[in-house]
Amino acid sequence: MGYTIGETLMNYRYGFYRRALVGNFFIAISNKEVLLIAITLVYSICLLMPLLIVKNALRLKDPWWVLFGMAVVFYSPFGLAFYVKDPPAIRKELFFFFPFYWLSLYGSKKATVTNVLIVIFIVLSSFIHESFFFLFLPFLLAYLFLNEWINKKWLLIHAGVGIVATFLLSLTQGNSERIAENFMQQYVNLGFGREQFTAFDYFQKLPSSENIASAFHHFTTVGPAVHLAFYVAHFYFLYVLFRCFNIAVLFKNLNALLVSLGLIALMAFVLCFIAMDYGRWFSMAYSTSLILCITQVKSIEFGIDHKSIALRRVVCILMIGAILLIRIPHFTAVRFNSSEWILVFRLFIKDGFIMAVIVVGLGALLEYLKVKPKAIG
């Protein structure tokens, strides 16, 4: 988990760095064990956010049964499980989901205050990680526009804020050797091993131009193309599953939704030319695209068709198996690595389903507490 620790704990104590906002919330913790617990807790909460966003978006009387299925889709080896880097390390982009959940929960569709909060959200998220512009901003703008939170004027304003914030942050250089050394020594003194910060020691000293040059040096069109193909394939698998169960989903604005999904995928593909964590980019595209689709559901109709039921079951098993089994590396190589797949899939089974059960259990408890006991007599 060295990369997770280094990425998460970056802060402004010894100087400014463009993706160091999150680390400032951990500065006051001076005990190693407490610090690790805090990091684990925060990432666990962030991992739960997509399910809570789905629950809020569905607005059904009893949506908890849906969350079991959504957990399989979101935390599959191609979904949020892709945020487990090879070797295991949780990526900081998960923090984007936390403030967005509260924005989606309490935002007002026509309030000027909400637009100000959106601007603040965009700026703060850019300071969490500058990849926000490519990975989350397209989804955010599509979500706000398709759900009629903002008009075209505010859409352009929010897009402009994202462009300016990302451009200015890209001009900042990597941390100097002195800042990197002070940062690492601070946590070595708490009991961490210096080797846990080797990635920070190397990457964070490089300016953006050198990072981009390094990405171009390792760039291969095969990697992004394969990830893009599986991004499209996963949605096709879901479509086939719905057809097999004879479920008809009607969307509010299908054409605009398809354009938005294409834009999200395009931005993830473009980012592949700048940085080589291809799986990471398309994992975010896949996850945010699912959320966007759910917010656009107008109605769901369940039909009954007993024809070819045996064939339908076989196809369903194949589609579910494909969703659960597809796993490709983060980086430029696309060859299958069984040990990495087994590692991530174990985490998927252990953590993904446990979190889903916790969410459903909490939801059931809250629903139970809302029920007032009937008067006796």
Side-chain angles (χ1 to χ4, degrees), residues 261-280:
L261 297 180
L263 177 61
I264 292 172
L266 176 63
M267 292 296 282
F269 187 81
V270 169
L271 188 55
C272 293
F273 290 83
I274 301 176
M276 56 186 173
D277 291 3
Y278 308 149
R280 193 169 143 202

Side-chain angles (χ1 to χ4, degrees), residues 171-226:
L171 297 178
T172 62
Q173 299 296 305
N175 280 347
S176 67
E177 186 173 356
R178 178 183 59 81
I179 291 176
E181 179 61 33
N182 289 338
F183 173 87
M184 288 185 290
Q185 191 58 47
Q186 170 191 354
Y187 290 102
V188 169
N189 292 339
L190 290 182
F192 290 97
R194 190 179 182 85
E195 67 280 358
Q196 293 181 284
F197 299 93
T198 53
F200 174 85
D201 187 24
Y202 175 72
F203 286 109
Q204 311 316 323
K205 297 176 189 177
L206 297 178
S208 296
S209 58
E210 291 188 37
N211 280 323
I212 294 175
S214 176
F216 265 106
H217 177 71
H218 295 93
F219 181 77
T220 167
T221 54
V222 176
V226 170

Side-chain angles (χ1 to χ4, degrees), residues 8-64:
T8 305
L9 296 181
M10 277 192 291
N11 54 66
Y12 302 139
R13 174 173 288 178
Y14 300 106
F16 176 79
Y17 185 66
R18 59 182 178 270
R19 59 178 69 164
L21 178 63
V22 171
N24 293 275
F25 296 100
F26 297 97
I27 285 180
I29 303 176
S30 57
N31 181 279
K32 178 184 176 183
E33 286 69 27
V34 175
L35 186 58
L36 290 175
I37 292 173
I39 292 174
T40 302
L41 177 62
V42 169
Y43 274 110
S44 298
I45 293 173
C46 291
L47 279 168
L48 285 173
M49 288 298 106
L51 290 184
L52 297 180
I53 293 168
V54 168
K55 176 190 175 298
N56 185 45
L58 289 174
R59 299 187 184 282
L60 299 176
K61 182 179 179 181
D62 186 19
W64 299 104

Side-chain angles (χ1 to χ4, degrees), residues 114-129:
T114 299
N115 281 305
V116 174
L117 290 176
I118 293 169
V119 170
I120 295 173
F121 169 61
I122 292 173
V123 174
L124 292 181
S125 296
S126 299
F127 279 87
I128 292 174
H129 203 288

Side-chain angles (χ1 to χ4, degrees), residues 96-110:
F96 298 154
F97 288 107
F98 184 78
F100 175 75
Y101 168 71
W102 297 105
L103 183 67
S104 66
L105 191 63
Y106 295 111
S108 175
K109 293 183 179 179
K110 297 182 180 180

Side-chain angles (χ1 to χ4, degrees), residues 65-101:
W65 62 272
V66 180
L67 296 184
F68 279 111
M70 294 311 303
V72 173
V73 175
F74 274 113
Y75 301 104
S76 67
F78 190 81
L80 287 182
F82 242 134
Y83 280 77
V84 181
K85 186 177 175 292
D86 309 316
I90 308 297
R91 304 311 306 238
K92 198 157 55 175
E93 290 89 338
L94 280 173
F95 281 97
F96 298 154
F97 288 107
F98 184 78
F100 175 75
Y101 168 71

